[in-house]
Amino acid sequence: MLGLDNALLIRLLDLIGIGVFALSGALMAVRLRQTLVTASFFALVTGVGGGSVRDLLIGAPVFWVQDGAIAAVCIAIALIVWVTPERWWPGQLLEWADAVGLAAYAVFGAAKALAWGVPPFPALMMGVITGCVGGTIRDILAGVPSIIMRPEVYVTAAALASGLFLFLQWLGAGTPVAAVTGAVAGFILRGAAIHWSLALPAYRGPQGG
């Protein structure tokens, strides 16, 4: 069982991930000049999408169905974004909000999977799913190319965050150190990819004669 302080830290990472992913979903909707209803829907599915898939895979109750405040927070974030001037939300804020959510949620997803008895390597995958699926759903709904279908460093950042968290825990580091280190490392890698357009090499296929 996690100690009280550890549980609070993991809960904080969960809320950060949900909040910033909801923000990125709402921003996507308003930039597409959608209604408040659509912005709220984008915020909700982006905020809870990855965690919902994770919970279904590990056999846990779907978290936001058990906690009504989460849906309310996502919708409140959408309302704030929708009623405020667009100049308050600079051009790359969507990408940076997504980067924060990706890193925090990847660590939280791995930690929750471990708590539910999932072995370390599948737990790493649960972290990646938690961090990446919400943004993927957002992009599909918006009709834009999904980030995971581009060579840009994205899934790798989620894997770094969850993998480093699990590795440090295996080494005996406390949950706070492992969680913060993993989340910060994932965010730095994703932030570097945004700033310098870092990308993995794409498959080119055999060069036939």
Side-chain angles (χ1 to χ4, degrees):
M1 295 290 291
L2 292 173
L4 179 59
D5 290 343
N6 293 348
L8 288 174
L9 174 62
I10 295 299
R11 175 61 172 167
L12 179 61
L13 288 171
D14 183 27
L15 294 176
I16 291 171
I18 292 168
V20 294
F21 269 140
L23 175 62
S24 75
L27 285 172
M28 177 73 81
V30 298
R31 288 176 182 176
L32 294 172
R33 299 295 187 263
Q34 297 298 314
T35 67
L36 175 59
V37 172
T38 303
S40 299
F41 183 74
F42 269 49
L44 181 63
V45 298
T46 309
V48 306
S52 298
V53 173
R54 175 205 62 227
D55 287 349
L56 291 171
L57 289 173
I58 68 176
V62 178
F63 70 104
W64 66 276
V65 177
Q66 309 296 317
D67 185 354
I70 290 175
V73 167
C74 291
I75 293 171
I77 289 172
L79 177 61
I80 292 169
V81 172
W82 200 78
V83 301
T84 51
E86 190 172 358
R87 66 178 182 276
W88 288 16
W89 311 103
Q92 282 198 314
L93 182 62
L94 189 155
E95 288 78 11
W96 286 104
D98 188 82
V100 173
L102 179 77
Y105 229 16
V107 170
F108 174 78
K112 183 168 184 178
L114 277 183
W116 277 79
V118 176
F121 187 72
L124 188 156
M125 296 296 101
M126 291 303 103
V128 172
I129 287 170
T130 307
C132 296
V133 168
T136 302
I137 295 172
R138 176 199 64 220
D139 293 344
I140 291 171
L141 290 174
V144 301
S146 173
I147 185 68
I148 66 169
M149 297 302 293
R150 304 198 297 269
E152 188 174 342
V153 172
Y154 189 78
V155 175
T156 307
L160 174 64
S162 59
L164 185 56
F165 164 74
L166 293 167
F167 180 66
L168 290 175
Q169 286 229 306
W170 178 74
L171 289 178
T175 297
V177 172
V180 172
T181 303
V184 169
F187 174 75
I188 289 173
L189 179 57
R190 178 63 190 136
I194 293 170
H195 186 73
W196 287 295
S197 300
L198 302 182
L200 298 175
Y203 176 70
R204 297 181 182 276
Q207 302 297 317

